[in-house]
Each structure stands twice: as C-alpha cells, then as structure tokens.
Amino acid sequence: IRVAVIGAGSSGLTSIKCCLDEGLEPVCFESSDDIGGLWRFKEKPEADRCSIYRSVIVNTSKEMMCYSDFPVPDHYPNFMHNSMIVQYFKLYAEHFNLLKHIYFQTTVRSVRQRPDFSDSGQWDVVTVDRDGQEETHVFDGVLVCAGHYTQPIKPLSDFTGIDTFPGTIIHSWEYKDPDPYLGKRVVVVGIGNSGGDIAVELSRACEKTFLSTRKGAWVIGRMVGRGLPLDMTMVRRVRDLIYGLLPRALLNWFGERSLNQRHDHKLYGLQPAHRLLDQRTIINDDLPGRILVGKLVMKPNVQKFQGSTVVFDDGTVEEKIDAVILCTGYDYRFPFLPASLNSGSDGDMKLYRRVFPPSLERPTLAIMGLLQTKGPIMPAVELQARWATRVIAGLNHLPPAEKMDKIIEKDIQANLKSYPCPKLAALQVDYIPYLDTIAKEVGVCPNIAWLLLRDPAVGLRVFFGPCTPYQFRLSGPGHWRGARQAILTQWDRVAKPMKTRPIPEPSSFSLFFWLGLSGGAAVIFALMAMQKKIPLFLNID
C-alpha cells in the first residue's frame, strides 16, 4: 500500500514513520530543500510556504511537545529556539531512517480521486520536480501535512484611509527581524502569540511601539511556580478532572485573579472581553515588562489612517507612524485538493475528529494538524498519524458518514460560544480529551486504574503529573519499551540544561549543627525574656 505524504515538517516526519510502523510504503513530497517545515527560518518568505521570524522560540516545553518514542536530548533547553527544533527533527529522521523516503524540491500540484475511487480508494497525485518535470503518481492513500500557516490574512479593507498611509505595511508572515525598524514608530495590529512576540522585539529597537487590539488578551509567561515550565504544571489529567467538577465561573475567577496578581491586566491595558477559559491565553514572558518601562504602548483597534497619522477607536491619535505590521492570522487552504472537500458552511473543510473528510466514499485521505488547542500540537498530530495510517491499512474503520457529520456539528456547536466564527470553532479541541479520543481509536489510551494497580510509580505520574506524550506508548500498537523509563525521568530532563553551575549541598553535620545552635539560642533568649518579665519564676525555693 503506497501512501503519499505531502510535506516534511513535524507532521510529515511522524506520518512517514507511522506508515512504516504499519507496513505501508510512504513517499513524501517536500517543496523545499530540507526538512523542518514551519520551523525552518529563511531570510525571505516564499509563497504558499510557512514563514517565521528569526527569534522564534517555541511556547511549549520539550517534554510536552516531543515525539512519543523519541525524547528531546536532555541537554536541550526546555523551550527551544526554532533552529534547535529543526535539529531535533533531523535527529528523529536519522534515528528512524526517514530521509530516504523524501523527495525534496518536489511540489504537489493536484490530488484527485481516480475514476474507480469508490472501489479502489486510489488517488492521482501530480507533482513537479526541481527541473519543472511534471509526473503523475497513483497512491492508495494520501496524508496532507502541508501546514496551515501559509496563507496570511491582510484585512486592508477594514481600515479606512489605508491607501493614504505612506509607510510600509506587512503581515507577520513577512517579518524577519527588527533591524529595518530601528528608531522608527511602529504599530502592530493583533495580539496573538506572534503579535505579542513581534511587539516586544520591536520595542527594544523602535523609538516607540504600539500594540493595537480589538479584544485584549490574558497573558501568561512560559514559567510558573518555582520557575517550572507552564505546560508541565498546567496540562495534567488530575487538573482536567478537577476542572470538570468545579463551576466554570469559579475557575475563571480563580485563574483571572491569579494572573492579575502577576500584573493587573486592566491597569496594563490588556484586559480582554472574554473570560480566561473561553479562549487561548497569550504566552509571553516580556510583554508586561515592556509596557511597564514605556517602550510598548497598548492601544485599542485602529479606526482609520490619515497619511502617517493613525486614529484609534478611543479617539487617541499617534502621528509620524513609519510602519504597520499586521498580525491578523491565517486562512487555511489546500489548493491542490479537490474543491468538493470544502463542504463546510463557510467553505471550510469538514473533518471527522479533525482528520477525515466524511464526504469521501473511501477513507484514504487524511489531513494532519489542522486544529487549535491549549497544548502542544505535535503529540496530537502524531496520534492523528498513528490513527490515519491504521485506517488506510484497513486495521481501523470509521463510522457511517451520517454519524460523522453529527459528531462534527456537535463539536462545532460546543465551541461557538467562545468562537462565534464556525470556521474557527471547528478548529478548536480540548487537549487531553482530544488526545484520549484519538488514542482510543488507535488502542493506546492509558488505563489509569490498571496502571495504579500494576505499576503505581508510573500510574501516579500519569494521573497527577504532566500529560507527556510517552503515556501513549505504554501499551497497545506501537508500544515502546522506553516509555516507562521516559516517564520516570521526565523531570530529570527538565533540570539537566539548567544544571550548569555546581552548587554544593550543605553537609548533614553542618545542617544539624546550625539547627542545634539556633534551637539552643532560642531557648536562652526565651529564658532571658521570662526572667525579666517574671523574676520569681527562677527563684522558687
């Protein structure tokens, strides 16, 4: 069974491996000259490809985002720069011998069902190589791993007078570094993770940076109590269980109060219209600090442009603006796929469990990574790939199309309150419940009760500790013998890159000596105090 894998980024690499695990023959087409996808930095953006800025550091920690059977090297930092993520991908590809299955500088032009698709489930895939040679291939399955940060949204028509603005206007997709903006006055529009990062970076180079937002955002740093990684502390099964039992209003109140103790969101101009748990928080370590020193100024939505003057919704005006950077998100489109797959109400792609288009007669095409969640994407994509390859191999089966449609609609309706746009609502999944749903399809969902009885050391860590990807390799198809040890040593790998300066531990003798000395001194002082207050106490015959 031959399977086309489109893209050799984080999704494509694990899809190749999952194909090999299930005895399939993967053929991967990558339009660039190397692996890495989204995480590969290039000096200039290229059409229809992902593009990042030079300084990008991942928002999820290495133990939470790694592939489930290949931990990130222990000496790597907990939050990796984009170059280190690419290096990790290369280690993964070399370890599992994946590179020989990849055709570089080969672009997929079209993917179409063959005339006998209802019987064969096969696809015609047309590719163009580096020399411009077009070729048609026949595949039994297709895994789309092309990413969804390739089509930037530039809503220029939303801004009155934008055509009078003499400065530069770019999307964050085009932004690379702050050098062109040194000493200038810049407006950043949009407060997603990219907007926050870019505004903070610019505030160190610009004369003044303004961050414009319609709705505001809840902001939290990468580390929490005792300096530990945010996601390893927050993304836990026990926390999900408790959250499910307590009233949502109480959880919002408690979480918002906790964030406001770090920096008052109202005081800092960050206060959003939505409650904390309704939408994803913005992860940024430096944003409040840049506001505090006055280098970054929060602003409401842009109302209009008057030449180089920008007028905001609250009537305030900023003059002599040199540049505008739009951090206004992306549209997801796969122009090489049949238009018939875009069957949603907004012309979007309806996907069962965010993987399979229910409209296909045969489930031989799957979309990888087209989701948004409050957690790392890579473990979810890896589970998607494990499931999709088993479906294509005929080992797993999908429910009838009618049932899949109902589940899709139910999932969308559940998210519409927080995300009124159906297209955006469809992308949202709850992290641990989603992982468990896909894991059950594969047959690898950890049985907590059984683990607590059979192997309490692991069971306790799985339930009370961070939901690391190794949990989904403990048993079932694709079982990895190293999963148990990886769980037992996950905090060792968190500590390893920070243990760069030897700090001697106090000896037990020294510890007991000082404890005894301090205890003795306390007794003497107490006796002296009592002697002064009640002198007869020590003079009783």
Side-chain angles (χ1 to χ4, degrees), residues 179-326:
D179 293 351
Y181 307 97
L182 184 64
K184 295 186 176 181
R185 292 166 61 83
V186 180
V187 173
V188 178
V189 179
I191 196 176
N193 283 323
S194 294
D197 283 350
I198 291 171
V200 164
E201 184 168 80
L202 288 174
S203 73
R204 295 189 171 97
C206 294
E207 177 191 316
K208 187 75 82 172
T209 305
F210 304 94
L211 178 53
S212 168
T213 171
R214 261 187 306 187
K215 298 180 179 178
W218 295 104
V219 180
I220 191 170
R222 289 182 177 86
M223 65 178 184
V224 288
R226 296 173 56 225
L228 298 176
L230 169 70
D231 50 4
M232 290 195 74
T233 303
M234 301 297 289
V235 184
R236 301 185 175 206
R237 294 180 179 277
V238 65
R239 185 178 291 270
D240 261 25
L241 177 64
I242 294 171
Y243 278 21
L245 297 174
L246 295 176
R248 192 175 181 88
L250 176 63
L251 295 170
N252 276 318
W253 174 84
F254 183 80
E256 291 166 10
R257 184 173 180 273
S258 175
L259 291 184
N260 281 327
Q261 285 179 337
R262 300 178 191 188
H263 47 268
D264 188 321
H265 281 63
K266 186 175 182 180
L267 177 64
Y268 278 66
L270 294 165
Q271 183 82 39
H274 61 268
R275 301 303 302 274
L276 176 63
L277 298 179
D278 288 347
Q279 296 185 22
R280 289 178 298 160
T281 54
I282 303 306
I283 298 177
N284 196 295
D285 300 314
D286 304 318
L287 185 60
R290 301 310 293 169
I291 296 172
L292 192 63
V293 299
K295 296 297 290 182
L296 177 58
V297 178
M298 296 301 302
K299 286 289 185 180
N301 195 41
V302 172
Q303 184 186 92
K304 61 182 177 180
F305 288 83
Q306 295 174 336
S308 61
T309 297
V310 178
V311 181
F312 297 92
D313 277 350
D314 63 349
T316 56
V317 174
E318 294 297 340
E319 299 177 338
K320 298 180 180 179
I321 299 299
D322 299 293
V324 174
I325 299 177
L326 302 173

Side-chain angles (χ1 to χ4, degrees), residues 8 39 77 110 182 261 309 362 382 421 427 504-505:
W39 298 104
S110 72
L182 184 64
Q261 285 179 337
T309 297
R362 300 288 296 274
E382 184 184 27
C421 171
L427 292 175
E505 297 287 343

Side-chain angles (χ1 to χ4, degrees), residues 486-505:
I487 292 171
L488 295 176
T489 56
Q490 55 198 9
W491 286 106
D492 296 336
R493 288 186 296 279
V494 171
K496 174 71 174 179
M498 294 185 284
K499 290 187 173 180
T500 55
R501 172 177 166 253
I503 300 177
E505 297 287 343

Side-chain angles (χ1 to χ4, degrees), residues 345-356:
S345 57
D346 281 8
D348 60 319
M349 188 177 294
K350 290 174 63 177
L351 297 173
Y352 174 63
R353 304 297 189 204
R354 302 306 311 152
V355 178
F356 290 100

